Amino acid sequence: MLRSPMILLALGVPTVAGAATLNVCASCSYTTIGGAYTDASNGDTLVVAAGTYNERVDFNKHLTVIGAGAGSTVWNDSGGGGAPATTTGGKT
């Protein structure tokens, strides 16, 4: 299992005017990174609270993902054998 401390993962282009911030935490509207990703639009920011997140997300949107810091927010690949996040559709 790959352990990836999340500090800042910027995927895409600068923030778009009117972009939303989606919070991920145990008591937030989104309790998983994948759930927030599903509802996110290009230019949005996902703010992920401290904790361990065991999930895989295949990114094909321009987003910014911000964690609580190395050792505080850990994102593991629940699919095994790979990175917890991948990009598709030419997104970097």
Side-chain angles (χ1 to χ4, degrees):
M1 180 179 291
L2 179 68
R3 292 182 57 126
S4 299
M6 186 189 323
I7 299 172
L8 172 66
L9 173 65
L11 301 172
V13 295
T15 303
V16 176
T21 298
L22 292 78
N23 295 299
V24 180
C25 71
S27 61
C28 294
S29 296
Y30 300 101
T31 58
T32 65
I33 298 166
Y37 171 81
T38 297
D39 286 353
S41 298
N42 286 328
D44 287 353
T45 298
L46 309 184
V47 178
V48 184
T52 299
Y53 299 85
N54 297 306
E55 58 185 302
R56 181 179 179 90
V57 179
D58 294 317
F59 283 86
N60 63 2
K61 301 175 186 176
H62 295 286
L63 302 174
T64 300
V65 180
I66 302 172
S72 295
T73 302
V74 178
W75 188 358
N76 296 316
D77 172 19
S78 63
T86 60
T87 61
T88 59
K91 308 299 188 261
T92 57

